[in-house]
Amino acid sequence: MKATIYEGKKTFSVVEKEVEDPASDEVRIKVAYSGVCGTDVHIYHGMMDKRVSIPVTIGHEMSGTIDAIGDGVSGFSVGQKVVVRPLDDRGVKPSDKGFNHICEDLKFIGIDSPGSMQQYWNVPAFTLHKLKDETDLKLAALIEPLSVAVHDVRLSELQADETAVVLGGGPIGLLVAMVAKETGAKVIVSEVNENRIAKAKELGLNAVNPLKLDLVEYVKEQTEGRRADVVFEVAGVQPALDVMTEVAGIRGRILMVAIHGQKKEIDLFKFFWKELKLIGARVYEKEDYERAIELITKNELPFEEMITDVQPLSNIQNVFENIDNNPDGMKVLMDCQA
Ligand SMILES: NC(=O)c1ccc[n+]([C@@H]2O[C@H](COP(=O)([O-])OP(=O)(O)OC[C@H]3O[C@@H](n4cnc5c(N)ncnc54)[C@H](O)[C@@H]3O)[C@@H](O)[C@H]2O)c1
Ligand SMILES: [Zn+2]
C-alpha cells in the first residue's frame, strides 16, 4: 500500500508499505479521503517537530470503510463506512471530571500517533463513528472540522433570535458560521481576504471586510445598537482580539476557538463593563460528531463548496507547497485510493 511520510524540513515522501493486520481492539480502515488541516500545515512548517515522531504519517480529518477487524472488536463489519474521532483518551483520570475530550493526558491521533494520509490505517475501535450507507465519503472527510464548529456553537448556546459575529472566514470560521446560521441566528462573518469573503458569500453567508468598513458600527447597525450576542474568535490574530470585546454587546459570550500559542493582549475592562463571558472551546465530544454526521448525511448545507481541491496521495508535497502559495483555498482533500 501507499503511505505518505512527513520527514521534517518541509518534506514529504510517498512509500510502499506492507498492509498490517489490526491488533486486538483495533480495526483496519481503507481510507477514502483525508483532509488537510491547519495543524497539518503547522507540522509541515516544522512548528511541531518536538511533538511529532519524525518520520511519521500525519492526518486526522478522514473518511473510509472498515477493511479488517481485530480480536475483541464487536459491532462492526467489513465494508461499513466510518469516520475516526481522533482523540485517544485512554489516559483519562477521575480528576478530568468526565471531560474525556480535554483530559490532561489526551493524545491526538494523527499528531501524537500515525495518521490517515495513507491507503490503510489501523486505529482503536473506540474512535469509530458509523456513517450511513448513503453518506458521501468525500463530504464525510469534513466531519472532523465540522464537529469543531458544532461544538463551538453548542457551547455558545446561540439562540435563534440572536446575532453572532464570526471573526475569521477560514475553513473553521466558515463551518462555524454555517452551523450558527442553521440555528436561525443572524450571522456576520468578518474576514480580511477578499477571495475568502467571496467564498463565504457563495456559501450564502453575510461576510464583510473589517479593513474596508468599521466592523463595530456595521454590527451596531445590523442589531439596532445591541451588538453581538455571541462572538466566535476564529482568526487567531491580535486585531480579532481587539475587536471581539468591542463587537460583543451586554452579557455577550465570546468563544475562543482560535489557538493562540502566545500570551496576547485583551481588554479586560470590557468584561467588567458589559459582563462579558469568555468561553474556551477545544475539539469536540461524541455528541458533536453525531450531529456533524447528521448534517453531512442530510447534506442540506453547501458543504461541497468548501472542498476546493482533491489530489492523490502521490501529490502530497505539491499539495502542501500550494497551500503555502495560495491563502485563498479552503479545504484540500487527499484521495487516498487514487
Ligand atoms: N478549538 C479547536 O479545537 C480548534 C480546532 C481546529 C482549529 N482551531 C483553530 O481555529 C483557527 C482557525 O482555523 P482555520 O483552519 O480556519 O485557520 P485559517 O488561518 O485558515 O483562518 C483564519 C482566517 O482569519 C482571517 N483573518 C486574519 N486576520 C483577520 C482579521 N483581523 N479579521 C478577520 N479575519 C482575519 C484570515 O484571512 C483567515 O482566512 C486557528 O487558530 C486554528 O488553530 C481550533
Ligand atoms: Zn484538524
Side-chain angles (χ1 to χ4, degrees):
M1 69 149 177
K2 272 195 189 63
T4 67
I5 312 273
Y6 168 62
E7 307 270 9
K9 297 196 170 63
K10 287 190 155 189
T11 307
F12 283 95
S13 59
V14 183
V15 299
E16 275 299 326
K17 267 175 70 172
E18 289 286 307
V19 175
E20 283 175 32
D21 284 335
S24 57
D25 300 326
E26 284 190 353
V27 302
R28 182 169 71 221
I29 295 176
K30 182 178 180 183
V31 185
Y33 296 95
S34 185
V36 179
C37 169
T39 306
D40 299 322
V41 178
H42 273 304
I43 293 174
Y44 166 73
H45 285 154
M47 317 273 270
M48 295 170 77
D49 281 1
K50 285 209 179 93
R51 183 164 165 194
V52 295
S53 328
I54 301 166
V56 67
T57 299
I58 63 170
H60 59 269
E61 302 185 356
M62 55 68 67
S63 63
T65 52
I66 294 188
D67 187 62
I69 298 175
D71 290 340
V73 177
S74 58
F76 292 100
S77 50
V78 170
Q80 167 79 54
K81 289 182 179 179
V82 288
V83 287
V84 167
R85 191 162 42 92
L87 305 182
D88 182 349
D89 57 8
R90 283 176 285 190
V92 69
K93 301 186 292 287
S95 53
D96 295 312
K97 303 182 194 171
F99 296 108
N100 290 36
H101 71 297
I102 49 170
C103 68
E104 196 180 347
D105 291 334
L106 185 76
K107 299 271 183 285
F108 199 94
I109 301 172
I111 299 175
D112 301 308
S113 58
S116 55
M117 291 191 183
Q118 50 185 334
Q119 265 183 299
Y120 294 91
W121 187 34
N122 292 358
V123 292
F126 70 82
T127 64
L128 300 175
H129 285 254
K130 288 181 188 172
L131 304 178
K132 296 253 166 60
D133 290 342
E134 68 265 25
T135 311
D136 181 325
L137 286 177
K138 207 180 266 180
L139 295 184
L142 299 176
I143 286 168
E144 195 269 358
L146 180 60
S147 300
V148 171
V150 168
H151 185 68
D152 302 339
V153 173
R154 178 164 68 85
L155 294 193
S156 79
E157 297 180 16
L158 181 66
Q159 306 297 312
D161 60 353
E162 292 187 320
T163 299
V165 171
V166 180
L167 303 173
I172 299 289
L174 293 185
L175 289 170
V176 167
M178 284 159 86
V179 175
K181 194 177 165 202
E182 182 72 2
T183 66
K186 186 173 199 171
V187 177
I188 299 162
V189 177
S190 171
E191 167 61 57
V192 293
N193 175 323
E194 283 296 332
N195 291 320
R196 286 193 157 181
I197 290 174
K199 172 59 82 175
K201 289 183 176 164
E202 199 185 312
L203 299 171
L205 297 164
N206 176 15
V208 296
N209 188 337
L211 303 177
K212 294 199 174 158
L213 54 66
D214 183 330
L215 182 66
V216 179
E217 283 309 313
Y218 179 76
V219 172
K220 279 166 74 179
E221 274 165 31
Q222 295 288 312
T223 56
E224 292 166 350
R226 286 188 308 126
R227 308 189 190 208
D229 302 288
V230 173
V231 181
F232 295 95
E233 204 298 77
V234 207
V237 295
Q238 185 63 49
L241 298 177
D242 294 339
V243 85
M244 72 182 187
T245 48
E246 298 291 334
V247 285
I250 299 282
R251 288 244 170 140
R253 290 97 71 196
I254 301 175
L255 272 285
M256 189 51 63
V257 182
I259 304 174
H260 291 272
Q262 266 98 41
K263 281 190 188 173
K264 301 269 174 71
E265 201 165 292
I266 295 180
D267 187 349
L268 291 175
F269 178 80
K270 292 283 170 11
F271 283 86
F272 154 75
W273 197 248
K274 295 191 275 189
E275 293 194 353
L276 302 178
K277 283 201 180 101
L278 182 61
I279 302 169
R282 182 174 164 208
V283 289
Y284 26 66
E285 295 172 82
K286 269 185 192 158
E287 63 181 287
D288 302 313
Y289 245 68
E290 286 304 321
R291 174 75 182 132
I293 288 170
E294 201 180 297
L295 287 170
I296 288 287
T297 302
K298 275 201 298 190
N299 196 14
E300 286 165 0
L301 297 174
F303 295 119
E304 189 83 46
E305 271 68 55
M306 290 291 294
I307 301 170
T308 43
D309 199 9
V310 183
Q311 291 288 331
L313 283 181
S314 53
N315 278 358
I316 188 161
Q317 183 69 34
N318 267 335
V319 164
F320 279 78
E321 285 173 10
N322 286 342
I323 288 174
D324 264 356
N325 297 332
N326 172 20
D328 304 343
M330 212 35 80
K331 189 52 76 181
V332 183
L333 304 185
M334 306 302 306
D335 180 341
C336 296
Q337 299 299 323

